[in-house]
Amino acid sequence: MAEADVGNQLVGVFQNPALLLGIPLALAGAVFMSLGAQYQHRGVEKVERLSGADGASGLSADQLKRLLTRPSWILGTLMLGLAIVCQLAALSAAPLIVVQPLGAIALVITTLLNARVSGHTPTRKSLIAIGACVGGIFIFVIFAALFAVEQEITDRELFVILAILLVVIIVLGGFWLILRHRMRALFYVVGAGILYGFVATLAKAVIKRVQAGEFDWVTLVCVIALVAASAVGAYFVQTAYSSGPPDLVIAGLTVVDPMIAVLIGMLVLGEAAAAPPWVLVCFGVAGAIAIWGVVGLARYHPQVLSESQELGIVRGSVASDSSNGSDATRRPGTEYGPGVESSDQ
C-alpha cells in the first residue's frame, strides 16, 4: 500500500512529459543570463570611468543614458533578452518550482567566465562552494520534477500575489529614498532578487491565463505589475554591478529569486500539493545546501579576497614596519597580497 501511495505521488514527470523540455530551456536561459551579466557589468564599469562618478549609491540619469551607448552593455541586454525568452518558454512547459531554481546554474557559469576575464583563478574553497550550489540545485530539481504539479491559478491567488508585491515595492522604495546613499550592493541584489521572484511568478500566471484564453483585466494588471517590477529590478541590478563582480551579483539573485518564486509556488499556487512531508524536508535540505554554497562563494570569491587586500588596512608585520618609518605598506605583495597590483591598473 505504501508503494502504491508513493507511485501515485510521482506525478511530475509522468503526468507532464513537457516538463522534460522545460528543464533544458531553463538551462539555456541560465547560459544567456551569465553572458548578459558579464557584458552588462563591463558596460557599467566603463560608464563609471567615463562619467567619473561612483554609481554604488544609485546610477544617475546621465549614467543610465550613457549605458545606452555602450556596445558591451547593449550586447549584454540582448543576451538577457534571450534569457527571458528561454525562461518564459520553460515556464510555459514546466512548474515554477522546477524551472526557477535552475537559474542558479548561471552562478557557476558566471563565476568561471569572470575568472577567465578578471584573471582570478577559483580557489579550493570557492570550488567547494560551487559544488554545493550545483549539488543542492540538482537534488531540489530531481524531487521537484517528480512531485511538482501544475495548478490552475485563480483570481484570488493572483490578488494575494499582487498585494504582497505592492507591499514589497513600497518597503523597498522607502528604504531606497531614505537610505540610498548608504546602501551597497547587498541591498540592491536582495531587492532585485525579491522583485524577480515575483516577476517569474506573474509571468507564469500570465502565460497560463493566455493559454486558457483568459486575457481579462486581471491579466492586464498582472502584465503591468510584471513590467514595473522588472524595470525596478533591472535598475537595482545595474546599480549592484557598480560595487561588485558580476558573479557575486548573480550569486545573490540566484538565491533570493528562486527562494521567493518557490515559496510563492508552494504556499500560494500549491505546486507542491502532491509532495509528502519527507519530500518537503528534502526540499529544505537541498535549498540549505545551495544557499550555503552561494554564501561560501561570496565569502571566498578570489576577486573579493584580492580586493579586500587593496584596502588601506595595516596588518601584522606591516604595522610594525610602518611604525618604524618603513614604506612597507606600499611594497607589492604586502598591501595588495602576493601578485596583486593596484586596482587602477
Side-chain angles (χ1 to χ4, degrees):
M1 180 65 69
E3 292 181 359
D5 291 339
V6 172
N8 291 333
Q9 290 167 345
L10 295 177
V11 295
V13 172
F14 307 106
Q15 189 182 70
N16 181 20
L19 183 147
L20 297 177
L21 177 62
I23 291 176
L25 283 171
L27 292 176
V31 173
F32 286 123
M33 182 179 180
S34 302
L35 296 173
Q38 191 68 46
Y39 282 111
Q40 280 200 332
H41 179 266
R42 185 183 304 177
V44 171
E45 283 190 327
K46 184 68 174 180
V47 165
E48 281 189 304
R49 287 197 298 269
L50 292 176
S51 64
D54 182 13
S57 61
L59 295 175
S60 65
D62 179 65
Q63 288 174 321
L64 292 174
K65 190 175 181 180
R66 287 171 180 259
L67 284 177
L68 298 177
T69 66
R70 299 309 314 165
S72 58
W73 188 86
I74 294 175
L75 179 59
T77 302
L78 292 176
M79 292 287 185
L80 291 179
L82 291 174
I84 292 173
V85 171
C86 291
Q87 187 77 356
L88 292 177
L91 286 171
S92 68
L96 182 68
I97 65 174
V98 174
V99 171
Q100 207 60 18
L102 288 172
I105 302 301
L107 165 62
V108 180
I109 302 172
T110 309
T111 297
L112 299 177
L113 181 61
N114 188 60
R116 183 176 181 85
V117 172
S118 65
H120 293 88
T121 304
T123 62
R124 182 177 64 86
K125 289 184 177 180
S126 65
L127 290 176
I128 291 175
I130 290 175
C133 179
V134 175
I137 292 298
F138 182 73
I139 295 171
F140 188 98
V141 171
I142 286 180
F143 282 104
L146 292 174
F147 290 94
V149 292
E150 295 275 15
Q151 300 282 6
E152 180 181 355
I153 302 176
T154 65
D155 288 351
R156 178 180 177 277
E157 292 169 343
L158 284 179
F159 289 144
V160 171
I161 295 171
L162 290 171
I164 297 174
L165 175 58
L166 179 61
V167 173
V168 167
I169 290 178
I170 292 174
V171 171
L172 290 176
F175 274 108
W176 184 81
L177 288 173
I178 298 172
L179 302 173
R180 69 189 184 96
H181 294 294
R182 298 169 57 185
M183 296 296 185
R184 288 300 176 183
L186 182 60
F187 166 78
Y188 292 105
V189 168
V190 171
I194 293 173
L195 291 172
Y196 283 161
F198 280 93
V199 167
T201 305
L202 291 173
K204 176 70 173 180
V206 170
I207 289 172
K208 297 299 292 183
R209 293 176 77 89
V210 170
Q211 289 177 338
E214 299 178 2
F215 195 87
D216 52 10
W217 70 271
V218 178
T219 307
L220 181 60
V221 171
C222 288
V223 172
I224 295 173
L226 188 156
V227 173
S230 298
V232 177
Y235 173 79
F236 278 10
V237 169
Q238 302 310 313
T239 304
Y241 283 146
S242 68
S243 54
D247 42 346
L248 290 189
V249 176
I250 294 297
L253 292 178
T254 52
V255 171
V256 181
D257 177 350
M259 282 179 60
I260 297 299
V262 167
L263 285 174
I264 295 174
M266 293 175 64
L267 301 179
V268 180
L269 302 183
E271 291 187 346
W278 67 269
V279 173
L280 299 180
V281 173
C282 292
F283 282 161
V285 172
I289 293 173
I291 291 171
W292 179 84
V294 175
V295 171
L297 181 61
R299 183 176 181 183
Y300 298 113
H301 189 286
Q303 188 170 345
V304 171
L305 294 176
S306 173
E307 290 175 353
S308 71
Q309 297 297 317
E310 296 179 11
L311 299 175
I313 301 175
V314 180
R315 299 178 174 85
S317 60
V318 177
S320 61
D321 290 340
S322 61
S323 65
N324 294 328
S326 171
D327 193 35
T329 57
R330 296 301 178 189
R331 291 200 308 266
T334 303
E335 180 182 356
Y336 302 118
V340 180
E341 302 297 333
S342 169
S343 61
D344 293 335
Q345 297 182 3

